Structures are given as structure tokens and as C-alpha cells.
Amino acid sequence: MGEGVGFGERIAIKSRREIERMREVGHATAEILLELRERARPGVTTGELDEIAARALEKRGLNSPFLGYAPGGVAPYPAVLCASVNDEIVHGIPGSRVLREGDILSLDFGVEAGGWHGDSAVTIAIGEIDADAKRLIETTRDALEKGIERMVPGDRLSDIGHAVESRAGKEGYGVVRQFVGHGIGRAMHEPPQVPNYGRPGRGPRLRPGMVFAIEPMVNIGSEKVRVLKDEWTAVTADGSLSAHFEHTVLITDNGPEVLTRIEGSH
Ligand code: MF3
Ligand code: CO
């Protein structure tokens, strides 16, 4: 989500019943995202992937929290999927763009069912990609993992972002600051905002029953962002490649539980 989308401070603690619903919607999010990954290859358009995602939702009787989403009066988001290619960081609008061998593609997908939300993103290679792109993807995936590892009761909110930034910064990459992770549950975007950077040991203590979407966006070059005239597509200001990984994660007494992870997913 975009930084500065205003919301209050109270962080919801989900009940056991609510967590069960979020497990179900998270599982569906993961299954459809995995299907999209498998369908993305050279010659396919991003619009075709959006159609596949829309049909998968319809078949299961699920809704899209992305379609029509319009925070702060921007143009309503026109698709169920975000498909961001190469220097596109996030919120790429699917359309006639044809995927080519050597591209990297970030797929960001969300599901709503019975008022509960799941949100997940992955960056994948289209055919063979070069070593720099591979290292960016691996680092961003690992940065998400490092953030998730800090989602344990007693840690503080900023420990998550600090862990993400430490991992990506070690490679000399730019960690995007303009978009942040978020609480998730009855709304796709709930308090708190979860930046992918920051000093450790600050902010509220993490407690069992909190659910956050952690979503680092990492650029090979500068962290600076430019938004295109379509009001959505965010690209790197310097044209460098960008990767994005996201999971919806529950904090439990036994540590983090990744609600959007199934066999075969990131
Ligand atoms: N994961 C993204 C976010 O949290 C996707 C939502 S943007 C939408 O901001 F417009 F596509 F809904
Ligand atoms: Co999100």
C-alpha cells in the first residue's frame, strides 16, 4: 500500500474463529497466485494473467479486494491482479504487454471472502534471466523471510522493517520507502503501517493474533519511485530493475505462521 494512507493506531487481535477464516482466504490466495506463476511465460500478456485470476476467483465464489480499489480519490484500480514488469515496482495494470524471455514479473494478488482478506506477491523470471536479476529476486525473497522471522511475540514493530532493510541493504540495493506493508484482516489495509526500513526496537510490541502483510520492494539502483500517468504503475526513477515479495503472516505464541504459503509457493 501507499505510505500515508491515513488510519488509526489500534492493531486488531484476531480471535481463533477469525484466524480460521484468514487461513482459508490465505490458502486460496496462495493457490491462485501459484496458478498464475505457472501460466506466466514468454508470449503471454499481463492482461491474460488478469483474466485467469478473475476466472479463478469466480469459480471459487471469491471476491477481489483490488478491483475498484480507490484510496484517496485516485482512479479506481481496474483489475484483480497487479502485474509489474522489470523497472515497474508495484501496481502495474495488466493489459496488452507481452512477456518476453529475460523479463522479471512481479505478481501481486489479493482475495476477499466473507469479509476477510489475503494478500501476497512474488517476483518470477520469464524464461532465462541474467545473473543481476536473479540476485535481486533472491535477495528480496530472503529480505521478506528475514522480516517474517522477526514476527514473534515481544519483538517490536520496527524490528521487522529493520531486518528487511538490513538484508537488502547489504547487497547495496535501494529499499523502496514510498510503499509499506500493512495490517490485514477485515480490511485489506488495517493499522499498522509496516515500513521495510527503520531503526530496531521501536513501535508497539507484537502480540499473538496480529496479522500483517509484509511486502518489501527492492530496486537494483536508487529507492526513488515515479508513478505513471495511469495513477497506479510505480516505476523506479532510475529505470533499474525492481522486485516485490509479500506474504500475509499471523503472529502466534509459537512464532510466525505464513497464511499465504502452500507447497510450491515462495
Ligand atoms: N499488495 C498491494 C498493496 O497492499 C496491492 C493493493 S493495490 C490494488 O498495496 F490497487 F491493487 F488494490
Ligand atoms: Co499488500
Side-chain angles (χ1 to χ4, degrees):
M1 64 170 292
E3 202 181 34
V5 176
F7 45 51
E9 278 308 300
R10 211 187 76 83
I11 305 174
I13 302 292
K14 275 76 177 176
S15 70
R16 284 168 67 153
R17 210 194 98 260
E18 293 171 338
I19 287 166
E20 206 35 62
R21 299 285 87 74
M22 289 204 75
R23 283 198 181 104
E24 288 166 8
V25 74
H27 192 91
T29 306
E31 281 185 343
I32 298 171
L33 191 54
L34 201 55
E35 184 183 341
L36 297 174
R37 277 180 71 159
E38 283 158 7
R39 302 290 285 269
R41 57 188 124 71
V44 172
T45 68
T46 55
E48 284 163 354
L49 295 175
D50 184 61
E51 279 166 32
I52 292 166
R55 276 201 301 272
L57 287 170
E58 202 190 320
K59 198 174 74 188
R60 296 159 196 245
L62 305 170
N63 305 309
S64 170
F66 289 14
L67 185 65
Y69 184 65
V74 300
Y77 190 74
V80 303
L81 175 70
C82 301
S84 309
V85 183
N86 295 338
D87 64 322
E88 295 173 352
I89 299 166
V90 71
H91 301 163
I93 298 175
S96 57
R97 182 168 185 157
V98 180
L99 298 172
R100 306 246 174 252
E101 177 96 19
D103 284 343
I104 66 170
L105 171 66
S106 300
L107 295 169
D108 187 351
F109 182 65
V111 173
E112 183 272 319
W116 295 98
H117 293 76
D119 191 5
S120 184
V122 62
T123 300
I124 59 169
I126 302 301
E128 273 302 309
I129 59 170
D130 66 29
D132 286 352
K134 272 185 197 158
R135 193 166 70 97
L136 172 69
I137 290 176
E138 260 321 295
T139 301
T140 310
R141 197 190 56 78
D142 199 40
L144 168 60
E145 232 25 72
K146 293 289 183 289
I148 290 172
E149 279 171 18
R150 299 312 304 259
M151 292 184 66
V152 293
D155 274 16
R156 287 185 184 272
L157 183 64
S158 80
D159 294 331
I160 300 170
H162 180 72
V164 170
E165 184 181 30
S166 302
R167 176 66 188 91
K170 210 168 66 184
E171 307 286 333
Y173 292 146
V175 179
V176 172
R177 302 171 88 88
Q178 189 168 326
F179 300 100
V180 296
H182 48 94
I184 180 168
R186 282 214 184 273
M188 177 167 64
H189 294 145
E190 292 184 352
Q193 296 193 10
V194 187
N196 295 301
Y197 55 87
R199 289 203 265 165
R202 306 192 170 220
R205 281 204 192 278
L206 304 179
R207 293 179 39 200
M210 292 179 175
V211 183
F212 301 158
I214 310 296
E215 51 177 321
M217 285 151 246
V218 178
N219 306 341
I220 284 187
S222 146
E223 76 221 25
K224 290 210 181 71
V225 173
R226 189 165 65 86
V227 177
L228 301 188
K229 285 209 189 66
D230 64 20
E231 298 183 36
W232 281 102
T233 312
V235 301
T236 58
D238 62 5
S240 67
L241 291 182
S242 184
H244 179 204
F245 279 81
E246 177 175 22
H247 270 306
T248 297
V249 185
L250 165 71
I251 297 167
T252 81
D253 282 319
N254 306 317
E257 178 181 334
V258 182
L259 301 180
T260 44
R261 181 172 280 153
I262 58 171
E263 175 86 37
S265 59
H266 58 291

